[in-house]
Amino acid sequence: MQEAFGWSPAWVGLVLATLGLIIVFGGIQRIAMVCGVLVPLMALGYLLLAIVIVVMNIELVPHVFKVIVFDAFGIEQVAGGGIGATIMYGVKRGLFSNEAGEGSAPNVAATASTTHPVKQGLIQALGVFTDTLLVCSCTAFIILISGLYSVPELNGIALTQSALQSEVGAAGPVFVAIAIFLFAFSSIIGNYYYGEANIRFITPNTTIMTVYRIFSAGVMVIFGAIASFELVWNIVDFFMAFLTACNLIAIVLLGRYAFRLLDDYRSQKRQGIKEPTFHRSQLPELESELECWE
C-alpha cells in the first residue's frame, strides 16, 4: 500500500487489524464465508494477469527457463556453495507459502465434513499445488520477464510491484497492493482459526480466547505492519521451524495410518465406488479414539 498509494504502513496495519477483529469475533461461519470468496477471486485474477504477461512476452520464456536453471545449477553456484543457500532459502519460503508438512492446517482440515479422510487429504494436496506451482510460479515469471530481479534495492513485494509496473504500467503496483491485501487478510483470519481450534481443544475459558483474538488478529497484525522486513522474516522462520520440527514427530507416528487409509480409498475406487466411505472399525487399534467417525 505504501508503494502503490503512499499510505503509512502503521495506518494500513491498523485498518487491517480492525477488519480482522471484526471477522474473528463474528465466528467461524463468517471466516469461512470471507475466505471462500476472497481466496479464489484473488488467485484467479493473479493467474490470469500472469498468463497475459507471459503471452505478451512469449519470446522471453526460453530466457526465463535458462535463468532459472543456470542460477539453480550453475558452475558459479556450485563453486560458491550457492546451491545449499538456494535450497535453504527455497525451503523456508516454500514452507511459508504452502505450509506443507508444517502442521498448521490439519486441525482445520479435520473440521471438514467428508465421507473419507483421504478425500480431504487430496484437497489439501491440491492447495499446495495451486499455491506453489501456480501462484508462486506466476510471480517468478513476472519478475524474471521484467529483468528487475538483478536490482539490489528491490526486494519482496516492491520487486513484484515494480516488475508488474514495467509490464502493464501504473496499474501494476495498484493490482499487487490490492491482491496482497486480500492475500494477507485471508491469511490472517485463516491462521487465526488454526490457533482458535487449538485453544478450544486445550481450554473452554472464554477470557483466554478473547485475549488470543485481540493479540493475534490485532496486536500482531499492527506489529507486522510497522516492523522491518528482516525482523518479520526472522521471527517467521524461527517459529515455523519449531512448529515443523514438532509436526515431523506426528508425521512419523501417524504416517502408517495415512498410508493404510490411502490404500483403502484406492481400493474402494478400484471397486467402482464413486464416494468411498470410512468407518472407525477399519482401524481397530484407534477405534476408541476416533471421535468423529461412525
Side-chain angles (χ1 to χ4, degrees):
M1 292 298 179
Q2 185 178 35
E3 185 77 15
F5 307 113
W7 295 352
S8 166
W11 282 107
V12 174
L14 183 61
V15 171
L16 192 58
T18 302
L19 293 174
L21 288 170
I22 291 174
I23 295 297
V24 301
F25 276 99
I28 184 56
Q29 288 78 16
R30 189 177 297 177
I31 292 174
M33 180 183 68
V34 172
C35 286
V37 173
L38 291 184
V39 176
L41 182 65
M42 62 189 177
L44 286 174
Y46 195 66
L47 180 61
L48 288 174
L49 179 62
I51 292 174
V52 170
I53 292 175
V54 170
V55 172
M56 290 171 55
N57 299 273
I58 193 68
E59 72 280 359
L60 295 177
V61 171
H63 170 72
V64 168
F65 280 106
K66 180 181 177 181
V67 171
I68 293 173
V69 173
F70 181 81
D71 282 6
F73 305 107
I75 297 176
E76 181 181 344
Q77 285 70 28
V78 173
I83 286 184
T86 300
I87 291 175
M88 182 180 297
Y89 189 83
V91 168
K92 290 192 295 184
R93 295 298 167 262
L95 185 62
F96 179 80
S97 169
N98 58 56
E99 302 180 7
E102 178 196 327
S104 59
N107 52 354
V108 178
T111 65
S113 177
T114 181
T115 59
H116 199 290
V118 169
K119 293 172 66 176
Q120 186 61 30
L122 294 175
I123 290 175
Q124 297 300 114
L126 178 62
V128 173
F129 170 82
T130 303
D131 190 341
T132 303
L133 295 184
L134 292 183
V135 177
C136 291
S137 293
C138 287
T139 303
F141 269 78
I142 291 171
I143 292 173
L144 292 174
I145 285 174
S146 73
L148 297 176
Y149 55 90
S150 58
V151 179
E153 58 267 21
L154 289 177
N155 58 45
I157 297 173
L159 174 58
T160 306
Q161 288 180 304
S162 298
L164 269 177
Q165 185 173 8
S166 71
E167 298 301 320
V168 299
V174 175
F175 178 85
V176 172
I178 295 174
I180 293 298
F181 187 90
L182 295 177
F183 271 115
F185 188 59
S186 61
S187 295
I188 287 168
I189 56 180
N191 281 276
Y192 154 79
Y193 183 66
Y194 296 168
E196 177 181 302
N198 290 322
I199 290 177
R200 290 190 183 279
F201 180 79
I202 296 171
T203 175
N205 192 307
T206 56
T207 302
I208 293 177
M209 182 59 67
T210 301
V211 171
Y212 165 71
R213 287 173 172 172
I214 295 173
F215 182 77
S216 63
V219 175
M220 290 308 297
V221 171
I222 296 175
F223 169 77
I226 61 178
S228 69
F229 186 81
E230 292 76 14
L231 176 60
V232 170
W233 275 117
N234 287 337
I235 293 174
V236 167
D237 290 341
F238 173 79
F239 281 104
M240 292 189 79
F242 183 73
L243 180 60
T244 304
C246 294
N247 189 58
L248 289 175
I249 299 174
I251 290 176
V252 171
L253 295 175
L254 298 176
R256 54 176 177 162
Y257 301 116
F259 283 112
R260 284 172 57 183
L261 290 170
L262 181 59
D263 289 340
D264 175 69
Y265 179 84
R266 288 175 170 173
S267 174
Q268 293 189 45
K269 278 291 188 179
R270 285 194 293 266
Q271 296 172 27
I273 301 175
K274 293 184 177 181
E275 294 292 336
T277 57
F278 170 75
H279 302 282
R280 66 174 68 184
S281 58
Q282 294 172 243
L283 290 177
E285 65 270 44
L286 294 178
E287 186 173 357
S288 62
E289 300 180 37
L290 301 180
E291 300 175 1
C292 300
W293 296 95
E294 296 180 356

